[in-house]
Amino acid sequence: MEKHKRKPIIAAVDGSPHSHKVADFASRLAHAFETRLALLHVVEPLPHHMVSSFGMAANQWLQTQLREGQAVLDELCQELQLADVDKILSSGPVPETICGEAEEANAEMIVLGAHGHGPVPRIMLGSVGDRVASLASRTVTIVR
């Protein structure tokens, strides 16, 4: 089967130092399975009252975050020498958006990182990885 016809592997990256590890792992998986790799960066919009405290309009803040997200994707591709990669930039609630993008791409797998939060922050804040794993209709691999 041709590489471009296979279901892609989607690696969700957030620009943290762990993103490099996630993208590298997903890249090696995609290579091993002879399939496409898509790097996904999601910007979660903030409520208007929070954005206005930064002294800017919500749309202006979102556009700035999207530009930074594009830079994250471009830098990872350059650092890992990934030439033939799909780059997906999206906005919305992070876990739901990751799952939605995976559905839209008919992805084989979602790869994302674990940030190693302790039990108290996880209970209070939840975990993107936990939420994606519970929502996704595809295989989810969490890289530590």
Side-chain angles (χ1 to χ4, degrees), residues 18 21-23 25-26 111-115 141-144:
H18 202 65
K21 191 173 182 180
V22 170
F25 179 80
V111 179
L112 66 160
H115 291 286
T141 300
I142 299 176
V143 178
R144 293 198 178 273

Side-chain angles (χ1 to χ4, degrees), residues 10 12 93-100 102-103 108-114 122 126-144:
I10 291 188
V94 176
E96 292 81 358
T97 304
I98 290 170
C99 292
E103 287 291 326
E108 183 71 35
M109 176 187 300
I110 300 168
V111 179
L112 66 160
R122 179 170 289 193
S127 163
V128 170
D130 289 345
R131 184 82 175 129
V132 168
S134 71
L135 290 174
S137 62
R138 344 216 141 252
T139 300
V140 176
T141 300
I142 299 176
V143 178
R144 293 198 178 273

Side-chain angles (χ1 to χ4, degrees), residues 51-110:
V51 175
S52 63
S53 70
F54 300 139
M56 62 176 64
N59 190 42
Q60 181 184 11
W61 181 87
L62 182 60
Q63 291 306 314
T64 299
Q65 295 303 303
L66 289 170
R67 278 193 301 279
E68 289 177 12
Q70 186 64 52
V72 165
L73 296 173
D74 293 342
E75 287 169 16
L76 276 172
C77 287
Q78 184 177 13
E79 288 171 15
L80 295 171
Q81 299 176 344
L82 302 173
D84 191 25
V85 173
D86 297 327
K87 295 183 242 178
I88 305 168
L89 188 58
S90 193
S91 68
V94 176
E96 292 81 358
T97 304
I98 290 170
C99 292
E101 291 289 348
E103 287 291 326
E104 188 172 318
N106 194 25
E108 183 71 35
M109 176 187 300
I110 300 168

